[in-house]
Amino acid sequence: MLRHLGYEQLPHLDAQGQELSHSEAKKLRYSQIKHDAYAIYKAPDWEEAIVALLVFAQKWTDLEPDAVRTFTKDFALTLSFYDFDESIHSLIRTSNALERLFREFRTKADEIGAFPNEESCLAIFFLVSRRDHAKHDRLNNHGE
């Protein structure tokens, strides 16, 4: 969605009433629409997420029609994480963790060059996933 921002009708003043440059106004628009979109996914349940989406669309459609159209296309599919227990919503509502794991594996695979067999590939993938899991454990246990 953020790649489809047209940056039409940008604000000229910030929250404190200070004049904004064009690049500052674009950053502000980007930040505001991103904040409002993320708020949808923080809703406690599917119904409230839909209400938040309607509010989002009403607020942003006139200013950023292409971005809103892209964001709302097949939107219900992005709420499928609500079908699962609330305790794992933060883990499954985005694919960022999975994308990061694959990126780390590709980096390691590029360093190796070529795997001599399937088992060596699976071993590296296992080690990369274990390292990622250990990082998350360390972050989650920090301060306990």
Side-chain angles (χ1 to χ4, degrees), residues 53-69:
L53 172 66
L54 295 173
V55 170
F56 173 88
Q58 183 178 18
K59 177 179 179 179
W60 290 107
T61 297
D62 289 342
L63 295 172
E64 297 292 350
D66 291 339
V68 172
R69 189 178 318 94

Side-chain angles (χ1 to χ4, degrees), residues 97-143:
L98 187 58
E99 290 168 2
R100 183 177 57 248
L101 177 67
F102 287 149
R103 184 174 53 248
E104 289 183 26
F105 174 74
R106 281 192 306 272
T107 300
K108 188 54 70 180
D110 288 345
E111 290 174 13
I112 293 170
F115 295 105
N117 54 42
E118 184 178 347
E119 288 80 22
S120 63
C121 178
L122 292 173
I124 294 300
F125 188 79
F126 172 76
L127 292 172
V128 168
S129 65
R130 291 295 297 166
R131 183 179 62 189
D132 188 62
H133 185 69
K135 280 193 256 181
H136 289 293
D137 283 350
R138 197 170 45 245
L139 290 173
N140 290 337
N141 294 330
H142 185 70

Side-chain angles (χ1 to χ4, degrees), residues 25-78:
K26 285 175 74 171
K27 285 180 188 177
L28 179 61
R29 167 69 54 81
Y30 180 92
S31 174
Q32 289 171 332
I33 197 167
K34 182 176 162 182
H35 177 270
D36 290 352
Y38 283 172
I40 296 167
Y41 295 100
K42 293 178 182 174
D45 57 41
W46 191 87
E47 291 83 11
E48 289 190 41
I50 294 298
V51 169
L53 172 66
L54 295 173
V55 170
F56 173 88
Q58 183 178 18
K59 177 179 179 179
W60 290 107
T61 297
D62 289 342
L63 295 172
E64 297 292 350
D66 291 339
V68 172
R69 189 178 318 94
T70 299
F71 184 66
T72 57
K73 183 179 180 195
D74 296 327
F75 184 79
L77 296 173
T78 69

Side-chain angles (χ1 to χ4, degrees), residues 18 37 90 143:
Q18 301 295 319
S90 64

